Amino acid sequence: MGRAAELHPLTDLNGNALLRSYEERVKSAFDRIVPVLKRLSALGWTPDFEAQAQRIAETELGFLLPSRILEDAWVGGLDLKTLFAWSVFETYRRMADDFFENDPLGGRDVKDFERFIQECGFHLMDVTPCADGRLAHAISYVLRLPFGAVRRKSYAGGLFDVENTVAKWVEVELERYREGKPNTADVPTRYLKVVVYHYSSVDPGHQGCAAHGSNDAAAARASLERLQAFRQAVENSFCCGASVALLLIGLDTDTDAIRVHVPDAEGTLDPSQAVDALKVHAITRDLEAAAARERIVELVRAHAPGSAEEGMVRLAARLIENNLSQVDYVRQFHGGRYSDVGHAERFMGVGIGFEEIQLRNLTYFAYLDTVEEGAADLDVGRKIFGGLTVSHGLPIPVIIRFDYHGQVPGARERAVTRCHRLDSALAARFAELADQGLLHRLLAVRDCDAGRGIEVMGTSLHLEVAGGH
């Protein structure tokens, strides 16, 4: 970026350095795959081709390729489609193992944030970003929250499943009554439901949310309607709507700046009124840190549609402050705006889980139990990867993943069954792609109670893969 003086006094420079290192390490691992395969393709077959190819792969990718494919290259050429999918899957597996074993983002350190949100009057923050891969880093980067303290479940257009969220609300409230977690039921805190919609400042008419026709006003309205439906569902079913709080956040996917729609004391949100982090950055950049914090709180309070609850003001101010670091992150390392203003996802993630995906444009999500349930999200993903991979003759790499609770009898077996059922359904729904070798799947499960990594069940490639944990 330009001069260091342009950085905000509240920017976390050490945090930015840590996040940049992680982003570069993970994304470069995926982005080396195609250049390596091009290099192997250019080698041509010679008696020592396999040895040369494995040396290149081990040096550039960090792992060896399936020897069977290399051994057969002399017959019909190198099977680049299979090698591409296999390499994406192996890179993903290694990334996931590192994430769960080493916690490179420090996202499991949740005590301070849990204490803070309870002081603000909330006992759980449940966030739904759009499934677009440009929002996959919303928790750890954009909002700078510990992923272990936040429930994240992505849906196309931010249009979350109301019934599923009500079920989660019931689960959380029951745990408060029975176990006093995260606090006891007599503490007057609420379940906070947040939707993050998105828009593009570079190309607003084409690079906004596809589910809403790149119309950011429509995206905000639809997200608000879904939030209101959730609160109404709780009120209609349990007569306790006061235990639900709502928050709406917009994200500019080009700059990572957010705008927070702060509700008034009655919980009313105005989609046309918001606190803009870019404007806050400009207004407070020349202040001392303490004065900047005070000014942020004033700006948040001024942008609520009426008098706002103090706890919500504190939370919104913290989110804005956290986002200032991300605004500067994009300025430091991406010239102020991302070069990939559109889609650049490396693979699709389908099923339930994916806590380890915390990077922008790494994954397109389709959270679902069945293909029928997530048909719309899958079709959006198919369209995205039609341009990213299929148009270049490469397959769509899909990770099918189901997390389960190991203490529940039969949970692992049911997760495995779901993986295989979804795999068959995907192959049938996109049969033309599958038949041409343009759709490949890796199947994995994970015991979220065990604190370990994923367990790979197999792939559509019919090749041996590394094992999980």
Side-chain angles (χ1 to χ4, degrees):
M1 60 173 281
R3 296 170 291 111
E6 294 177 352
L7 294 174
H8 197 279
L10 294 175
T11 289
D12 179 3
L13 294 177
N14 291 332
N16 280 7
L18 171 71
L19 294 176
R20 176 58 173 173
S21 174
Y22 183 71
E23 179 187 29
E24 286 189 313
R25 177 160 55 88
V26 172
K27 286 189 173 180
S28 65
F30 285 94
D31 294 344
R32 284 194 296 267
I33 293 172
V34 167
V36 165
L37 295 183
K38 286 182 178 180
R39 188 174 169 189
L40 299 187
S41 179
L43 285 178
W45 191 87
T46 60
D48 66 342
F49 169 76
E50 183 180 353
Q52 287 188 68
Q54 293 292 28
R55 280 196 298 271
I56 292 171
E58 189 168 22
T59 300
E60 298 295 328
L61 302 179
F63 52 78
L64 298 176
L65 299 172
S67 58
R68 193 190 82 194
I69 294 179
L70 301 181
E71 291 169 356
D72 293 344
W74 70 274
V75 179
L78 203 56
D79 185 351
L80 294 171
K81 292 179 184 177
T82 297
L83 282 180
F84 173 76
W86 192 94
S87 298
V88 170
F89 294 156
E90 178 61 13
T91 303
Y92 162 75
R93 185 194 65 79
R94 291 158 64 90
M95 179 208 73
D97 283 351
D98 172 63
F99 183 89
F100 290 113
E101 290 173 9
N102 302 313
D103 190 19
L105 298 179
R108 295 189 181 88
D109 185 7
V110 302
K111 291 183 179 178
D112 288 346
F113 180 71
E114 287 181 342
R115 184 183 308 113
F116 171 73
I117 63 167
Q118 288 186 38
E119 290 173 354
C120 291
F122 313 108
H123 51 258
L124 179 72
M125 188 170 178
D126 177 348
V127 182
T128 290
C130 178
D132 189 307
R134 293 171 293 177
L135 284 77
H137 65 322
I139 304 302
S140 294
Y141 282 70
V142 173
L143 300 178
R144 300 293 174 99
L145 302 177
F147 60 80
V150 178
R151 183 192 190 225
R152 177 192 66 172
K153 200 165 186 181
S154 303
Y155 290 86
L159 302 179
F160 63 91
D161 185 312
V162 173
E163 287 78 8
N164 176 276
T165 307
V166 170
K168 183 63 180 178
W169 176 85
V170 170
E171 176 188 325
V172 169
E173 296 307 311
L174 181 61
E175 193 167 29
R176 293 179 71 214
Y177 275 94
R178 299 291 301 227
E179 301 180 38
K181 296 179 181 178
N183 58 17
T184 55
D186 61 324
V187 178
T189 56
R190 292 171 294 166
Y191 185 110
L192 174 62
K193 181 63 190 177
V194 185
V195 171
V196 183
Y197 68 94
H198 65 104
Y199 55 96
S200 168
S201 57
V202 170
D203 189 0
H206 301 92
Q207 296 298 342
C209 185
H212 301 293
S214 289
N215 184 325
D216 56 329
R221 287 194 303 270
S223 299
L224 176 56
E225 288 170 4
R226 194 57 57 103
L227 286 169
Q228 292 169 334
F230 166 59
R231 180 163 58 191
Q232 190 67 49
V234 173
E235 291 176 351
N236 291 349
S237 302
F238 302 96
C239 302
C240 50
S243 65
V244 172
L246 309 177
L247 186 61
L248 182 62
I249 298 174
L251 169 62
D252 176 3
T253 54
D254 302 321
T255 66
D256 274 351
I258 62 172
R259 53 191 186 199
V260 181
H261 302 268
V262 186
D264 65 14
E266 303 301 318
T268 302
L269 285 158
D270 184 348
S272 66
Q273 189 168 342
V275 193
D276 188 310
L278 278 182
K279 293 179 179 178
V280 171
H281 190 290
I283 292 170
T284 61
R285 188 181 65 204
D286 296 327
L287 301 176
E288 295 295 328
R293 281 198 178 94
E294 291 179 5
R295 183 66 175 133
I296 291 170
V297 172
E298 292 172 359
L299 291 168
V300 168
R301 192 175 285 120
H303 283 80
S307 60
E309 291 184 351
E310 193 58 32
M312 184 63 81
V313 169
R314 285 187 63 195
L315 175 62
R318 173 70 67 88
L319 296 178
I320 290 286
E321 178 181 334
N322 289 357
N323 185 241
L324 297 178
S325 292
Q326 186 62 16
V327 169
D328 279 344
Y329 178 93
V330 177
R331 292 179 176 181
Q332 282 180 284
F333 305 119
H334 296 281
R337 296 181 188 276
Y338 288 108
S339 58
D340 54 345
V341 297
H343 291 280
E345 292 92 336
R346 279 65 172 182
F347 60 89
M348 283 181 64
V350 177
I352 303 295
F354 299 104
E355 182 183 73
E356 70 279 14
I357 306 302
Q358 300 287 333
L359 288 172
R360 179 185 184 274
N361 253 346
L362 184 66
T363 311
Y364 173 82
F365 291 114
Y367 280 125
L368 49 88
D369 278 312
T370 66
V371 164
E372 293 77 14
E373 172 194 355
D377 288 8
L378 289 172
D379 290 344
V380 171
R382 161 65 181 90
K383 182 178 180 181
I384 289 169
F385 279 89
L388 293 177
T389 60
V390 175
S391 64
H392 300 285
L394 293 173
I396 301 174
V398 180
I399 312 294
I400 298 175
R401 161 87 169 279
F402 282 94
D403 287 3
Y404 65 92
H405 293 282
Q407 78 267 23
V408 178
R412 180 185 177 279
E413 291 73 18
R414 287 188 289 273
V416 171
T417 298
R418 290 190 184 101
C419 274
H420 287 290
R421 184 179 64 208
L422 189 52
D423 179 49
S424 298
L426 276 172
R429 183 175 185 84
F430 304 115
E432 184 177 353
L433 290 176
D435 291 344
Q436 298 176 64
L438 292 173
L439 178 75
H440 279 300
R441 293 86 61 202
L442 176 141
L443 284 65
V445 296
R446 176 174 178 262
D447 181 354
C448 25
D449 295 329
R452 296 194 298 268
I454 64 170
E455 180 184 358
V456 174
M457 309 308 302
T459 76
S460 60
L461 299 168
H462 308 297
L463 290 169
E464 182 179 351
V465 294
H469 322 318

